[in-house]
Amino acid sequence: MALTGAEILIRCLQEEGVEYVFGYPGGAVLNLYDELFKQTRIKHVLVRHEQGAVHAADGYSRSSQKIGVAMVTSGPGVTNAVTGIATAYMDSVPMVIVTGQVPTSAIGQDAFQECDTVGITRPCVKHNFLVKDVANLALTVKKAFYLATTGRPGPVLVDIPKDVSQATAEWSYPKAVTMRSYNPVTRGHAGQIKKAVQLLLEAKRPMIYTGGGVVLNDAAESLTRLVRLLGYPCTSTLMGLGGFPGTDPQFTGMLGMHGTYESNMAMQHCDVLLAVGARFDDRVIGNPAHFYRADRKIIHIDIDPSSISKRVKVDVPIVGYVRDVLDEMVKLVESSPPRAGAAEVKAWWTEIKAWQAKDCLRYDHSKTVIKPQHVVEKLYEITGGDAFVTSDVGQHQMWVAQYYRFDKPRRWINSGGLGTMGFGLPAAMGVQLVNPGATVACVTGEASIQMCIQELSTCKQYHLPIKIVNLNNRYMGMVRQWQEFFYGNRYAESYMDALPDFVKLAEAYGHVGLKVERPGDVEGALREAFAQKERLVFLDFITDQTENVFPMVPGGKGLTEMILAEEL
Amino acid sequence: MRHILSILVENEAGALSRISGLFSARGYNIESLTVAPTEDPTMSRMTIVTSGSDDVIEQITKQLNKLVEVVKVVDLTDGDHIERELMLVKVRAAGKDRDEMKRLTDIFRGRILDVTDKSYTIELTGTGAKLDAFLQAIEPGVILETVRTGASGIGRGERILRI
Ligand SMILES: Cc1ncc(C[n+]2csc(CCOP(=O)(O)OP(=O)(O)O)c2C)c(N)n1
């Protein structure tokens, strides 16, 4: 049966079980939209800016085991989408982006709304395709889904010229696809796994450090089993939160630039470090030379060989899906004789408990001004620690990471790698759509929220009852904090002047707005908001203007060279 | 250290820019890059001469392998290998220079491909170092134009790169 390219694309998406397409129409995708219009299986979510479409598809992927799809038009549609694509790429989020392109005959002619989509997006996708012949379209879409979801996941883009979506070809959709040039190693090496377990069982000061790979590979259960079996301390990167229960006594809190004192100290002073689906990035281990100074053996499990020994040399590299490797390790540990040296591990725990006694996340409460940390703690309480929480980028993001103790994976949705302000609200839309009925909160700042504020309109159209928790300090807080610490209090362009009245703004979009100015009103306002199950509520918390995030490892410093709140 | 990487890559539009883009985005050196289809026209073979510490070369190899269109990567400098580069040089060949150029070309086992009464065009094949040596041996003033292909390489003996 001969179908048009547009029909083929929609059929392919249906075959892949796609429920939602997040997108925005335009000339080059009119054929595709026409086919979407003619069917009912795939629902389209019309965003208000293409960046929002990609972030929404991203949030959809991150908070589920499904795959988000975005569709945008050529030229400005694509360039608007690039921030979203780069965001997903940096955090290895599986996603498929379909873009329209000018007709093949017009490519290279500087045609209206032409841009070199494949060229512009090349450095920020796992792979991309320009489909020049409709006969290749179905196979290309199959490959796109396959590439996005296997190995180290990531966004894959398919660029379809307008004449290709019009031309016809026989319909057939392959069940599976293989590519001779793409064979990621997915099974960890048995010998290496054995060696790793051996090392772990002989450790005197062991530490387990986990990252986003655990969440992406749905390895949380396997990880939890292993960590509990070993009885060792466990920390997590920003991206890994929820991979191991945040309320578990073995969890020492997040590590890194704004990590806990105890996690950073234990990272530095351990003798055996197990890194799982994490990549030792600059925000996590600080200055690598300083990190090296301490002598420790490192085991590193990751699906991406290029993540191993990139920034830190490791002793036992294991390439493979982290979940399978962890399962293997669990089996080996279970069948090993009880470990010797238990007393040493106990002494190590005593040391860690002493670090914990510093209570590095303590902050001064206030009766007159709302402390942002307090809002997050109350949010945690009122949502029973069980909400999906998205965030933007800045201090508020760090406070959620520190004070909202995620017990489950895929609950904490934030842009860690690219650090994209504007991510939170559109991401929350994708989260809410794929988790209907779930509690979804977007914790944001008054600067970040304005970067994709237009999506309030999308939320209205699709009845998305997201709760926006705006920690409004009238500053680009994180920028102001750096200026305070490292630029002599010169607050260059970080004051947010001329802020809108967020309550009125929310109301103008048809939502509920609440302004909260007194600490005593925080809990009540949150309760009131979360009781409104059907409505989006915009909570504008007027918070302490000059609160800082502690602990802090200044850029370029060693992991243990932390600034603590009490020291200032 | 100098390394010669041999890469088998799908013969597809865009593969070359993915590879060169990787080098520029991550700040790796490219000394030379050559590429042409293999006996199997669906596949191209690329030779990249680069330099860096062992750690950097390891990362380059891993990053190349990560590209979806890259089929195989081998560091030829890991073992015995043959390296060849072709150079065409146009030199001034008048008066007493004329005999001298002919003699030098013979010593370096080059060939004169084109002759005018004032110039020679010389073809020379060898390792990069040999071509450098030739250019150093002649007076800089007589060189009118040079063009080099960049190195191609292949493993010695049973070292074979194919799928
Ligand atoms: C798109 C983008 N532009 C600039 C930055 C740099 N940046 C990081 S945090 C920040 C301030 C964020 O302010 P706000 O949203 O009010 O959050 P706060 O830090 O006050 O909690 C800025 C400008 C960024 N991360 N993303």
Side-chain angles (χ1 to χ4, degrees):
Chain A
M1 183 182 23
L3 300 181
T4 66
E7 288 169 330
I8 289 173
L9 176 82
I10 303 304
R11 281 248 192 142
C12 292
L13 297 182
Q14 290 174 342
E15 291 281 330
E16 292 294 335
V18 172
E19 270 181 298
Y20 285 102
V21 169
F22 300 88
Y24 208 94
V29 282
L30 279 173
N31 295 328
L32 306 180
Y33 271 84
D34 196 41
E35 284 315 314
L36 268 178
F37 186 83
K38 292 181 194 159
Q39 56 85 58
T40 53
R41 267 171 67 189
I42 299 173
K43 292 176 276 271
H44 182 268
V45 177
L46 177 67
V47 295
R48 300 302 185 260
H49 184 296
E50 287 87 351
Q51 181 184 348
V54 184
H55 287 331
D58 179 328
Y60 183 94
S61 289
R62 289 189 205 228
S63 64
S64 70
Q65 292 170 15
K66 300 179 186 169
I67 176 157
V69 177
M71 187 186 292
V72 301
T73 194
S74 66
V78 167
T79 53
N80 273 350
V82 166
T83 299
I85 298 171
T87 302
Y89 179 68
M90 286 293 275
D91 290 340
S92 307
V93 178
M95 187 192 302
V96 171
I97 303 106
V98 177
T99 57
Q101 182 55 279
V102 301
T104 44
S105 58
I107 290 178
Q109 309 283 317
D110 298 320
F112 178 62
Q113 295 195 329
E114 177 183 2
C115 73
D116 176 7
T117 299
V118 162
I120 288 174
T121 59
R122 186 179 298 124
C124 60
V125 292
K126 180 167 174 185
H127 198 60
N128 57 19
F129 299 94
L130 169 63
V131 184
K132 284 194 171 151
D133 181 350
V134 67
N136 298 333
L137 180 58
L139 181 61
T140 305
V141 176
K142 183 81 207 173
K143 281 182 184 172
F145 278 87
Y146 172 62
L147 289 171
T149 50
T150 53
R152 181 176 181 169
V156 179
L157 182 143
V158 182
D159 197 25
I160 309 177
K162 196 169 181 183
D163 56 326
V164 172
S165 56
Q166 238 152 5
T168 57
E170 277 303 306
W171 164 250
S172 86
Y173 198 62
K175 282 258 168 307
V177 64
T178 55
M179 299 164 74
R180 65 176 170 185
S181 63
Y182 176 76
N183 297 294
V185 175
T186 55
R187 267 188 74 93
H189 187 277
Q192 292 289 87
I193 296 176
K194 209 174 266 173
K195 216 154 112 191
V197 168
Q198 192 77 30
L199 257 181
L200 277 170
L201 291 177
E202 285 163 6
K204 300 190 171 82
R205 298 187 311 280
M207 185 69 186
I208 298 168
Y209 144 61
T210 71
V214 170
V215 177
L216 286 164
N217 196 221
D218 296 307
E221 246 178 75
S222 311
L223 172 75
T224 306
R225 212 171 306 139
L226 180 70
V227 176
R228 290 201 175 133
L229 200 56
L230 290 167
Y232 295 168
C234 178
T235 181
S236 167
T237 67
L238 178 71
M239 297 314 294
L241 295 174
F244 183 75
T247 53
D248 192 292
Q250 280 174 252
F251 188 62
T252 57
M254 180 172 77
L255 84 164
M257 182 172 273
H258 293 298
T260 63
Y261 183 73
E262 49 272 29
S263 287
N264 287 349
M265 292 300 277
M267 265 304 265
Q268 186 72 9
H269 298 294
C270 63
D271 70 340
V272 174
L273 178 64
L274 171 64
V276 190
R279 57 190 177 91
F280 294 90
D281 85 87
D282 55 306
R283 287 295 188 263
V284 165
I285 58 154
N287 183 336
H290 180 277
F291 187 66
Y292 263 134
R293 256 183 250 158
D295 189 28
R296 63 178 92 64
K297 291 262 184 267
I298 301 178
I299 304 158
H300 191 178
I301 315 171
D302 205 284
I303 185 64
D304 180 359
S306 75
S307 283
I308 292 178
S309 291
K310 180 167 71 178
R311 299 196 74 245
V312 166
K313 270 260 166 262
V314 308
D315 302 278
V316 185
I318 304 173
V319 176
Y321 281 133
V322 295
R323 186 178 51 193
D324 300 345
V325 173
L326 289 169
D327 286 342
E328 287 298 310
M329 291 174 82
V330 166
K331 270 191 237 155
L332 286 177
V333 174
E334 276 172 341
S335 61
S336 301
R339 54 157 301 153
E344 281 148 334
V345 175
K346 214 167 178 190
W348 172 234
W349 265 115
T350 309
E351 214 171 322
I352 291 172
K353 296 234 163 79
W355 291 327
Q356 280 172 330
K358 267 206 183 261
D359 200 6
C360 68
L361 294 180
R362 196 188 51 225
Y363 60 94
D364 290 330
H365 288 265
S366 163
K367 286 211 161 57
T368 51
V369 54
I370 297 176
K371 288 289 179 178
Q373 302 95 322
H374 175 67
V375 178
V376 177
E377 286 190 316
K378 284 290 160 198
L379 174 70
Y380 176 77
E381 244 177 71
I382 285 162
T383 56
D386 203 29
F388 289 84
V389 183
T390 73
S391 89
D392 277 295
V393 174
Q395 293 180 318
H396 62 274
Q397 177 188 27
M398 293 303 126
W399 285 318
V400 180
Q402 292 176 331
Y403 296 94
Y404 200 103
R405 288 172 295 156
F406 293 93
D407 276 337
K408 294 182 193 157
R410 298 190 181 277
R411 293 296 170 110
W412 168 228
I413 312 295
N414 82 124
S415 165
L418 198 66
T420 308
M421 291 168 69
F423 174 79
L425 176 57
M429 303 190 311
V431 173
Q432 187 76 77
L433 280 164
V434 75
N435 298 283
T439 303
V440 181
C442 165
V443 179
T444 183
E446 78 295 333
S448 291
I449 192 66
Q450 293 189 79
M451 286 213 177
C452 276
I453 192 95
Q454 74 286 347
E455 301 305 331
L456 282 174
S457 174
T458 314
C459 293
K460 182 69 189 170
Q461 182 175 348
Y462 298 93
H463 312 291
L464 304 176
I466 296 158
K467 305 297 178 278
I468 297 172
V469 177
N470 188 31
L471 300 180
N472 185 345
N473 53 7
R474 281 83 70 215
Y475 273 110
M476 298 173 195
M478 191 55 96
V479 174
R480 194 206 54 75
Q481 177 169 347
W482 282 58
Q483 290 169 333
E484 178 187 332
F485 289 8
F486 312 119
Y487 293 88
N489 296 304
R490 291 182 301 281
Y491 297 153
E493 302 299 322
S494 56
Y495 182 69
M496 289 304 286
D497 212 335
L499 283 172
D501 178 334
F502 285 111
V503 171
K504 278 197 187 141
L505 187 70
E507 286 169 359
Y509 277 107
H511 301 301
V512 180
L514 290 172
K515 184 170 181 170
V516 191
E517 293 176 276
R518 282 191 305 270
D521 296 339
V522 169
E523 181 165 348
L526 282 167
R527 286 199 188 283
E528 187 184 333
F530 282 92
Q532 304 206 39
K533 298 255 182 259
E534 306 299 323
R535 301 297 298 273
L536 182 150
V537 183
F538 192 118
L539 288 145
D540 189 21
F541 290 99
I542 307 304
T543 59
D544 188 345
Q545 257 188 309
T546 54
E547 188 62 45
N548 289 319
V549 183
F550 293 112
M552 178 176 191
V553 180
K557 290 282 187 190
L559 197 47
T560 54
E561 298 173 312
M562 285 170 270
I563 309 175
L564 299 177
E566 63 189 46
E567 288 164 0
L568 288 175
Chain B
M1 228 199 40
R2 181 171 180 270
H3 288 255
I4 305 172
L5 304 179
S6 274
I7 305 159
L8 284 179
V9 50
E10 294 289 353
N11 189 5
E12 274 167 22
L16 175 61
S17 48
R18 263 181 239 283
I19 291 172
S20 59
L22 168 72
F23 275 75
S24 60
R26 294 193 182 262
Y28 304 141
N29 293 318
I30 296 186
E31 210 170 277
S32 70
L33 185 158
T34 70
V35 59
T38 62
E39 76 282 5
D40 168 0
T42 66
M43 200 139 58
S44 293
R45 175 152 170 171
M46 195 176 283
T47 308
I48 296 181
V49 179
T50 181
S51 57
S53 65
D54 288 352
D55 289 350
V56 169
I57 300 298
E58 181 183 331
Q59 262 302 310
I60 293 177
T61 310
K62 285 174 169 178
Q63 294 291 347
L64 282 169
N65 270 312
K66 220 165 106 174
L67 294 177
V68 168
E69 283 152 344
V70 168
V71 182
K72 241 179 196 177
V73 182
V74 161
D75 184 350
L76 286 180
T77 20
D78 274 350
D80 284 346
H81 64 280
I82 299 164
E83 172 195 344
R84 284 293 177 273
E85 179 174 358
L86 172 72
M87 173 168 71
L88 302 175
V89 202
K90 194 170 287 182
V91 293
R92 188 170 289 127
K96 65 170 173 36
D97 285 343
R98 205 166 172 87
D99 284 351
E100 177 60 16
M101 283 317 308
K102 173 80 176 76
R103 214 169 22 248
L104 260 179
T105 304
D106 290 342
I107 292 171
F108 279 84
R109 294 175 210 267
R111 291 200 301 153
I112 296 173
L113 300 181
D114 187 37
V115 180
T116 70
D117 47 1
K118 290 201 202 76
S119 74
Y120 284 154
T121 300
I122 302 163
E123 172 196 336
L124 210 66
T125 315
T127 62
K130 174 179 161 180
L131 306 190
D132 291 343
F134 179 77
L135 291 177
Q136 266 155 27
I138 56 183
E139 225 184 287
V142 305
I143 301 175
L144 298 172
E145 192 180 344
T146 61
V147 54
R148 298 170 66 151
T149 59
S152 285
I154 197 162
R156 277 193 188 274
E158 302 304 303
R159 276 187 96 197
I160 286 163
L161 171 59
R162 58 179 306 150
I163 52 164

